[in-house]
């Protein structure tokens, strides 16, 4: 009798998980950007905006009336996404520009071109990144992860953790792609994953929290090392030295 009940439970488990998945996903993605701020006349740059969280972030900012630059390595894919966002939002001010964060020449060229086009930058979303790449180096000889995620993106005002999101970030790992597929019912959608970035970009009065780490649209805990100003200063100095930038 006990064995029969266990077998029945095992057979029902997938169905129960499937039925509970929407509620579990909702619970895991509790943070939602509630700002109603509109952005006419504002200029925005979103890196890695041709897919995933970056794409959803750019779409929302365009929906609010901003002029949005999609800074992408794959310009062809970026153009397709720009047209999609233009059609969806009715905002034709969605532009694509080349940016390869693994090459400082590309970064400087992007910055020079942007400054020639715009007088102001109101919102910068450093969304692009890599994870679990096979060992390789950037065009400047840096290990790919630190070269793209830290040195390429520079120092951001806010640090955000979007949570576990269905995106192309795991494309370099077959195991992680399999895990993402297996637990896809419980993983955040890119739209849900974009909420914390949008919260930090749009919510008024967050200036006093500059430098904090956010998750699910709230300030969250970071380790003692991450709060250590001596370590932070050392990291800044080393990073500037690697990039040949002044340290002040």
């Amino acid at each position: 009798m006990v064995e029969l009940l266990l077998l029945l439970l095992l057979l029902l488990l997938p169905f129960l998980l499937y039925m509970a998945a929407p509620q579990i996903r909702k619970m895991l993605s509790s943070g939602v950007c509630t700002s109603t701020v509109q952005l006419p006349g504002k200029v925005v740059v979103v890196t890695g905006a041709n897919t995933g969280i970056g794409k959803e972030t750019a779409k929302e900012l365009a929906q609010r009336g901003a002029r949005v630059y999609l800074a992408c390595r794959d310009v062809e894919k970026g153009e397709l996404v720009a047209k999609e966002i233009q059609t969806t939002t009715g905002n034709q001010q969605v532009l694509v520009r080349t940016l390869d964060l693994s090459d400082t020449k590309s970064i400087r060229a992007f910055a020079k071109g942007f400054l020639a086009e715009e007088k102001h930058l109101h919102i910068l979303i450093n969304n692009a990144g890599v994870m679990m790449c096979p060992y390789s180096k950037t065009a400047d000889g840096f290990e790919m992860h630190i070269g793209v995620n830290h040195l390429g993106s520079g120092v951001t005002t806010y640090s955000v953790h979007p949570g576990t999101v269905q995106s192309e970030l795991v494309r370099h790992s077959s195991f992680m792609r399999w895990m993402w597929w297996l637990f896809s019912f419980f993983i955040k959608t890119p739209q849900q994953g974009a909420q914390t970035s949008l919260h930090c970009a749009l919510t008024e009065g967050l200036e006093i929290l500059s430098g904090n780490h956010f998750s699910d649209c709230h300030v969250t805990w970071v380790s003692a090392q991450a709060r250590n100003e001596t370590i932070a200063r050392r990291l800044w100095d080393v990073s500037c030295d690697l990039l040949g930038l002044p340290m002040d």
Side-chain angles (χ1 to χ4, degrees), residues 16-109:
L16 293 174
L17 287 174
Y18 177 80
M19 294 300 294
Q23 291 303 317
I24 296 174
R25 178 185 283 170
K26 185 177 180 180
M27 181 180 67
L28 294 175
S29 57
S30 57
V32 177
C33 176
T34 58
S35 172
T36 58
V37 167
Q38 297 300 303
L39 302 171
K42 302 298 184 182
V43 178
V44 174
V45 170
V46 183
T47 68
N50 57 9
T51 189
I53 294 174
K55 175 183 174 181
E56 292 299 326
T57 302
K59 185 191 301 182
E60 179 62 29
L61 297 173
Q63 183 70 55
R64 293 171 184 249
R67 180 158 63 256
V68 181
Y69 285 84
L70 312 184
C72 307
R73 182 169 54 88
D74 188 337
V75 175
E76 184 177 347
K77 189 173 180 181
E79 292 288 358
L80 292 174
V81 170
K83 290 178 181 177
E84 178 185 331
I85 294 175
Q86 289 169 354
T87 301
T88 302
T89 65
N91 183 349
Q92 299 304 305
Q93 297 187 89
V94 182
L95 311 168
V96 181
R97 297 293 181 268
T98 304
L99 175 62
D100 183 352
L101 292 176
S102 68
D103 186 347
T104 55
K105 289 183 180 178
S106 174
I107 297 169
R108 292 188 172 98

Side-chain angles (χ1 to χ4, degrees), residues 45-228:
V45 170
V46 183
T47 68
N50 57 9
T51 189
I53 294 174
K55 175 183 174 181
E56 292 299 326
T57 302
K59 185 191 301 182
E60 179 62 29
L61 297 173
Q63 183 70 55
R64 293 171 184 249
R67 180 158 63 256
V68 181
Y69 285 84
L70 312 184
C72 307
R73 182 169 54 88
D74 188 337
V75 175
E76 184 177 347
K77 189 173 180 181
E79 292 288 358
L80 292 174
V81 170
K83 290 178 181 177
E84 178 185 331
I85 294 175
Q86 289 169 354
T87 301
T88 302
T89 65
N91 183 349
Q92 299 304 305
Q93 297 187 89
V94 182
L95 311 168
V96 181
R97 297 293 181 268
T98 304
L99 175 62
D100 183 352
L101 292 176
S102 68
D103 186 347
T104 55
K105 289 183 180 178
S106 174
I107 297 169
R108 292 188 172 98
F110 170 82
K112 183 178 179 181
F114 179 83
L115 290 172
E117 289 186 89
E118 301 288 349
K119 294 181 179 179
H120 303 285
L121 173 60
H122 300 98
I123 297 174
L124 169 62
I125 306 288
N126 282 327
N127 163 78
V130 295
M131 187 175 81
M132 302 182 75
C133 296
Y135 180 77
S136 57
K137 293 184 178 181
T138 69
D140 303 278
F142 305 121
E143 189 279 326
M144 187 61 69
H145 292 85
I146 194 170
V148 171
N149 298 344
H150 176 63
L151 298 174
S153 294
V155 180
T156 60
T157 305
Y158 298 103
S159 167
V160 304
H161 192 296
T164 306
V165 181
Q166 187 69 262
S167 72
E168 293 184 7
L169 191 60
V170 297
R171 63 187 179 275
H172 296 291
S173 170
S174 298
F175 174 74
M176 291 302 294
R177 290 202 307 273
W178 180 78
M179 290 293 289
W180 255 233
W181 174 82
L182 184 63
F183 294 101
S184 59
F185 289 117
F186 310 109
I187 294 175
K188 289 182 180 180
T189 64
Q191 183 182 30
Q192 292 169 330
Q195 296 304 303
T196 302
S197 295
L198 291 168
H199 171 76
C200 290
L202 299 172
T203 303
E204 297 174 324
L206 283 188
E207 293 80 6
I208 59 172
L209 298 176
S210 177
N212 280 277
H213 180 64
F214 283 74
S215 180
D216 283 328
C217 301
H218 294 91
V219 174
T220 192
W221 177 88
V222 293
S223 69
Q225 281 189 317
R227 300 192 303 270
N228 187 303

